[in-house]
Amino acid sequence: MQVKVKLTAGKIVNAVIEVERTGDVKDARKSASKALEAACGTKFPISRLALIYGGKQLADGMKIHEYSIKHNDTLLAHLKALVLSDSLDSINSEDTSVINTPESGLVSPFPMPLTNGDVQMMDTVANKLANTDVTSTEEPDAEPAQCDHCDSNASTKCNYCGCVYCGLKDDEAKTLACDECGRFYHMRCLPEPVTELPEDDWYCEYCVNDPNIVISGETKLDLSKSRKAKMPSAKQTKSWGGGMACASASKTCTIVGKDHVGPIPGVHVGQAWRYRLQVTASGVHRPPVAGISGTSTTPAVSIVLAGGYPEDEDRGEEFTYTGSGGYDLSGNKRTAKSQTSDQELTRQNRSLALACAAEVDDLNGAEAADWKLSTPVRVCRSYKIAKKHPEFAPEAGVRYDGIYRVVKYWRQKGESGHYVWRYLFRRDDTEPAPWTAEGKANIERWGLTLFDESPAALEAKAAKASVKRARKNKEVARMTRTKKLYTCTPSPELLEMIRLDEANTRMWATIADNTYESIGKYLEALCENALVCPICQELVQQPVTTSCGHNICNPCLCKAMKQYGVICPICRSDIADMGSVENVRSTMNQDLVTILKALIPSYGKGWEVKPNVVGIQHALRSGKVVDE
């Protein structure tokens, strides 16, 4: 790398030298001496040339990188005016080529003016050298370091300049100094006394490192003796969810809200997921662990059949579901196998009672006069029910089986001797059940394969993709033809609605050019990409389509126009043709609203006028008689 050298002795001289980051400082001084000589025509002795960087003088024996010198950095060159050697005769022959200084009899390495102070200093040094016995090779004794705690008093005990343990300063021949901290220790005072002086480096008990606990480079940590390796769980061979039990949801359903009642748009009967966490992300059943989705004040919207209670009975089109509670979960939840207390009609149990079209009875339960007026509940079946009812259980994971309604609920004593709440569900869905011949054909037609995004499945998927890329184009095309994909094609009614939405012609054309595996992927493309408000980052509500073709929520656009003016928040185009904020406030793309309501029946329920509750349904749930 290149480094600049700057000399400011008498006049400024600049030079550029080539150095290696791992090179020695001495080599850099040689290069600097030659470069400065070439720049000004004057010889610069290496023994009197010092290089300075960052306020520090570069010492021989050190490497360039040890001073953090980088490419194009500048080194200051300092030329020593005097050479303090053992005698004046030690000035080498190359120094005689420079100009002499008559006042002191010494030589000046560079033709520069000297001040009176420089001359006096040089005379003083010359006189000292003249009166020094040059034959003596002994160096003057260095001044001993002074202890700040005891002033180096030999008779005073000090744990800083004496032995750390006893504080005495005797027996220097058998005193060890730690090569790390530098403190002194008598060999007799050590916890493990030493009789012979160590030949290698010696460290005290505070600085020594155990090589058994130090992890060297490219060496893995040995966990065979760790505390976790000694626990009983380390010897278990059962897989508890493939590491997904403690994972958190990375995606949330944005097509509908968490309190959505009824089917999820884009999810067909027969769709299955590997883990409950993926069911949560789809919006079919939001709780990742609980089997009932609901609160004590709102009707339940979904449940999962997992065979957790011995009282559960499954007949396919009908099943009896047992409420939650009654187990002691204070310890290990996996070991709680028997019921220890009575179930109460609270929390999720009460939410199932609210879903029944009958008056809530906390003691005996109730039965719906017309069960089809009960709240629709999404039902999922887990592979765990295969122990009792294999004919209705999925092969793996959790499967969505359609809409069921609560017919009645009652309280009875269970097999454990404690009371439980039981609920009778009856199927009420237009799509066929997945265990029937029609349902299996429907699954094949829609391509409803098991949704699996576990780490092992993703790794296998990546390996498979790598193999496909390595094969020839003909073989890849053949494999692609064997895979059945569902191509989402809008219905004629929806195509007519899209044709009427002339403000978003370009967006609908882009959507139509792509191919989607399912109606769910089609809705995700709309709700998570094409129709996301750029301001609130949610599915656009009360949509307003600007003249530049962007869809924005009406409240968000009004707020942006008040703050930034009449411009589009996305492309900054002028949208003055839309009028003032007052005009935009009453504007909405009704054609786009019609399309979204056709795709998502619950769209707009937060800002549209809500219809009144049906009188007979209100009467059945509250127990009050309503005059018709």
Side-chain angles (χ1 to χ4, degrees):
M1 63 179 180
Q2 289 186 351
V3 177
K4 301 177 183 177
V5 179
K6 184 176 182 181
L7 178 67
T8 58
K11 64 178 181 178
I12 298 176
V13 179
N14 294 317
V16 178
I17 60 175
E18 290 282 346
V19 296
E20 297 290 339
R21 287 184 55 85
T22 57
D24 296 333
V25 172
K26 188 174 182 180
D27 297 335
R29 292 201 298 118
K30 291 180 181 179
S31 301
S33 176
K34 295 180 181 179
L36 293 174
E37 180 181 354
C40 61
T42 304
K43 204 164 189 178
F44 292 85
I46 301 174
S47 59
R48 298 163 60 186
L49 182 64
L51 298 179
I52 300 174
Y53 179 77
K56 297 181 180 179
Q57 179 175 338
L58 276 60
D60 291 346
M62 301 291 287
K63 303 295 183 181
I64 295 296
H65 67 85
E66 295 178 341
Y67 292 95
S68 301
I69 299 175
K70 301 178 182 179
H71 182 68
N72 281 338
D73 283 352
T74 301
L75 304 180
L76 295 179
H78 173 65
L79 197 60
K80 300 176 183 178
L82 295 174
V83 179
L84 300 179
S85 59
D86 293 338
S87 66
L88 293 175
D89 297 336
S90 63
I91 301 177
N92 51 34
S93 59
E94 63 183 9
D95 295 340
T96 59
S97 62
V98 298
I99 301 176
N100 294 331
T101 305
E103 290 83 354
S104 61
L106 298 178
V107 293
S108 175
F110 194 82
M112 64 181 111
L114 296 176
T115 62
N116 294 332
D118 296 335
V119 174
Q120 293 178 3
M121 180 185 67
M122 295 165 66
D123 290 339
T124 302
V125 175
N127 293 332
K128 288 184 178 181
L129 291 175
N131 297 327
T132 301
D133 185 7
V134 296
T135 60
S136 176
T137 59
E138 297 182 358
E139 296 182 356
D141 295 337
E143 184 179 354
Q146 194 77 6
C147 179
D148 296 332
H149 299 274
C150 66
D151 293 333
S152 299
N153 190 345
S155 61
T156 303
K157 289 185 178 182
C158 180
N159 298 107
Y160 292 92
C161 62
C163 177
V164 173
Y165 291 104
C166 66
L168 298 178
K169 306 171 186 177
D170 60 342
D171 202 1
E172 294 184 1
K174 294 185 178 181
T175 301
L176 301 178
C178 178
D179 289 313
E180 179 66 24
C181 62
R183 305 184 72 176
F184 302 101
Y185 298 84
H186 284 146
M187 295 170 59
R188 65 176 183 271
C189 297
L190 294 173
E192 297 181 1
V194 179
T195 57
E196 297 181 0
L197 293 175
E199 298 180 358
D200 299 329
D201 296 340
W202 181 84
Y203 301 95
C204 66
E205 59 178 334
Y206 305 104
C207 300
V208 67
N209 290 323
D210 186 1
N212 296 325
I213 62 174
V214 176
I215 304 175
S216 58
E218 300 181 1
T219 303
K220 295 183 178 180
L221 181 63
D222 184 14
L223 299 177
S224 60
K225 299 181 181 180
S226 63
R227 181 181 177 184
K228 186 176 181 180
K230 300 177 182 179
M231 297 176 65
S233 59
K235 302 178 182 178
Q236 294 179 356
T237 57
K238 183 175 180 180
S239 176
W240 299 100
M244 299 292 287
C246 300
S248 58
S250 59
K251 181 181 178 182
T252 304
C253 178
T254 57
I255 299 176
V256 295
K258 62 180 181 179
D259 56 346
H260 175 74
V261 179
I264 302 297
V267 179
H268 295 280
V269 173
Q271 176 64 59
W273 300 266
R274 174 71 67 181
Y275 300 109
R276 282 282 299 272
L277 201 62
Q278 298 163 350
V279 184
T280 301
S282 67
V284 174
H285 184 72
R286 301 271 179 165
V289 178
I292 305 173
S293 176
T295 64
S296 59
T297 57
T298 59
V301 296
S302 62
I303 63 172
V304 174
L305 293 176
Y309 292 84
E311 294 83 7
D312 291 345
E313 297 177 2
D314 194 354
R315 296 178 294 276
E317 294 293 329
E318 285 187 353
F319 64 85
T320 303
Y321 187 79
T322 306
S324 61
Y327 283 85
D328 183 12
L329 302 179
S330 59
N332 190 347
K333 298 181 180 180
R334 295 170 181 166
T335 61
K337 300 298 183 182
S338 60
Q339 189 174 344
T340 58
S341 61
D342 297 339
Q343 292 183 355
E344 298 178 357
L345 196 65
T346 58
R347 304 177 66 181
Q348 284 85 3
N349 292 343
R350 191 174 185 85
S351 69
L352 287 178
L354 291 174
C356 181
E359 184 179 358
V360 177
D361 189 343
D362 296 339
L363 297 177
N364 304 315
E367 182 175 357
D370 186 359
W371 64 273
K372 290 203 172 184
L373 294 178
S374 298
T375 302
V377 178
R378 299 185 295 271
V379 174
C380 296
R381 282 183 170 87
S382 172
Y383 72 97
K384 297 179 181 180
I385 66 172
K387 296 179 180 179
K388 296 178 63 176
H389 306 283
E391 64 273 19
F392 306 118
E395 295 181 359
V398 182
R399 183 188 64 204
Y400 172 59
D401 286 355
I403 297 297
Y404 285 70
R405 298 179 189 268
V406 180
V407 179
K408 62 178 180 178
Y409 63 98
W410 66 98
R411 185 172 180 260
Q412 75 175 43
K413 185 171 291 188
E415 295 184 6
S416 62
H418 297 278
Y419 283 95
V420 296
W421 283 96
R422 307 188 67 187
Y423 304 84
L424 177 62
F425 282 82
R426 188 170 296 163
R427 197 169 191 276
D428 184 23
D429 202 305
T430 57
E431 296 188 19
W435 55 83
T436 62
E438 296 83 359
K440 293 179 180 179
N442 202 31
I443 292 174
E444 182 70 18
R445 180 171 65 90
W446 290 95
L448 302 179
T449 57
L450 180 67
F451 184 82
D452 188 0
E453 286 189 355
S454 62
L458 293 177
E459 184 178 355
K461 186 177 180 180
K464 186 177 180 180
S466 177
V467 171
K468 284 187 177 182
R469 287 192 298 267
R471 292 177 179 176
K472 296 180 181 180
N473 295 334
K474 183 178 180 180
E475 186 176 358
V476 172
R478 182 182 62 81
M479 293 182 61
T480 305
R481 287 196 300 270
T482 60
K483 184 179 179 180
K484 296 183 180 179
L485 293 177
Y486 164 71
T487 303
C488 178
T489 303
S491 62
E493 295 81 4
L494 185 60
L495 288 175
E496 180 62 21
M497 297 178 188
I498 293 175
R499 187 188 65 81
L500 295 176
D501 187 15
E502 298 179 354
N504 291 307
T505 302
R506 183 177 58 182
M507 181 197 71
W508 292 116
T510 304
I511 294 293
D513 291 340
N514 298 327
T515 302
Y516 305 94
E517 297 180 2
S518 63
I519 186 65
K521 298 295 183 181
Y522 179 78
L523 290 177
E524 287 183 3
L526 289 176
C527 301
E528 298 181 4
N529 295 304
L531 294 178
V532 172
C533 176
I535 298 177
C536 65
Q537 294 298 308
E538 299 289 344
L539 177 62
V540 61
Q541 303 293 328
Q542 303 180 31
V544 177
T545 306
T546 62
S547 55
C548 51
H550 297 114
N551 295 289
I552 309 171
C553 298
N554 191 301
C556 297
L557 181 59
C558 294
K559 185 176 180 180
M561 292 176 65
K562 285 183 179 180
Q563 188 171 359
Y564 301 106
V566 190
I567 58 176
C568 176
I570 302 179
C571 63
R572 305 298 180 185
S573 300
D574 187 10
I575 55 174
D577 56 334
M578 300 183 64
S580 60
V581 177
E582 288 72 17
N583 296 335
V584 174
R585 197 181 304 278
S586 59
T587 303
M588 185 167 58
N589 188 347
Q590 191 60 45
D591 295 329
L592 182 58
V593 172
T594 304
I595 296 173
L596 290 175
K597 287 189 70 65
L599 293 172
I600 308 172
S602 62
Y603 177 78
K605 68 175 184 178
W607 41 270
E608 283 192 340
V609 178
K610 297 182 180 180
N612 295 327
V613 179
V614 179
I616 185 172
Q617 186 175 1
H618 178 78
L620 291 172
R621 297 193 181 190
S622 62
K624 299 178 181 179
V625 179
V626 179
D627 297 333
E628 297 186 2

